[in-house]
Amino acid sequence: MPIPEFVAALRSHVGTDLLWMPGVSAVVVDDDGRLLLGRRADSGLWSVISGILEPGEDPAVGLAREVLEETGVDVVVDALVAVTVTEPVRYPNGDLSQYLDLAFLCRPTSPAAAAAAHVADDESLAVAWFAPDALPLDVTPSTTERVGHALGWLADPSSGPFFVR
């Protein structure tokens, strides 16, 4: 996975010290209620599609871009379902990052868009749709959390997005 230019520029100043980054995650649900997951190239685990926002990029716009770039699926971003903070992540090259994650509920723009799901870049080893009650056993813990927040929001949208109070 290439490091975005703006992150490389920041790293040239801070080295491997902790970077606080804006992240977005997509819980994509198709018309049949299935969830779109990607098997991450870095860990081999299944995960919701996620990414880092570019400087000045609106979160929903950046998330739709990430989903299309990684899976070939064009999505509509419907709702913010959670605002969370990840644990710090130490990458194999020594870089340390922590993410403010905005998780959104999304849907494909059409059945054809959903059918277009495929590995579209080097960040995923596979891309597939799963029933919520039949997720693979090897999912990231954050995926379980984000899917739970999205399904909770779907059950009761009036509750608003999840966040720690």
Side-chain angles (χ1 to χ4, degrees):
M1 280 179 251
I3 297 174
E5 280 186 37
F6 78 94
V7 174
L10 287 170
R11 288 281 177 212
S12 73
H13 296 287
V14 301
T16 60
D17 288 346
L18 179 68
L19 275 185
W20 176 249
M21 304 288 292
V24 287
S25 296
V27 179
V28 182
V29 180
D30 73 0
D31 290 343
D32 295 324
R34 298 177 306 162
L35 303 168
L36 179 64
L37 300 180
R39 185 181 285 277
R40 295 180 58 94
D42 59 354
S43 68
L45 299 176
W46 288 95
S47 177
V48 296
I49 308 306
S50 60
I52 301 169
L53 296 173
E54 298 287 332
E57 189 172 36
D58 283 310
V61 172
L63 183 58
R65 173 188 54 76
E66 287 284 347
V67 174
L68 185 61
E69 286 176 359
E70 294 183 24
T71 70
V73 177
D74 192 23
V75 297
V76 174
V77 179
D78 285 328
L80 176 67
V81 296
V83 178
T84 58
V85 176
T86 69
E87 293 294 321
V89 178
R90 176 78 63 187
Y91 292 97
N93 68 357
D95 289 351
L96 184 62
S97 297
Q98 190 169 23
Y99 299 91
L100 169 67
D101 186 74
L102 306 174
F104 290 90
L105 180 66
C106 306
R107 61 185 158 81
T109 57
S110 68
H118 67 280
V119 174
D121 66 9
D122 63 351
E123 293 188 42
S124 298
L125 302 173
V127 171
W129 294 96
F130 296 91
D133 61 352
L135 296 180
L137 296 177
D138 54 345
V139 296
T140 63
S142 62
T143 290
T144 302
E145 179 182 312
R146 291 168 183 151
V147 167
H149 294 315
L151 296 179
W153 186 91
L154 277 170
D156 182 13
S158 68
S159 66
F162 169 85
F163 57 92
V164 174
R165 292 171 166 80

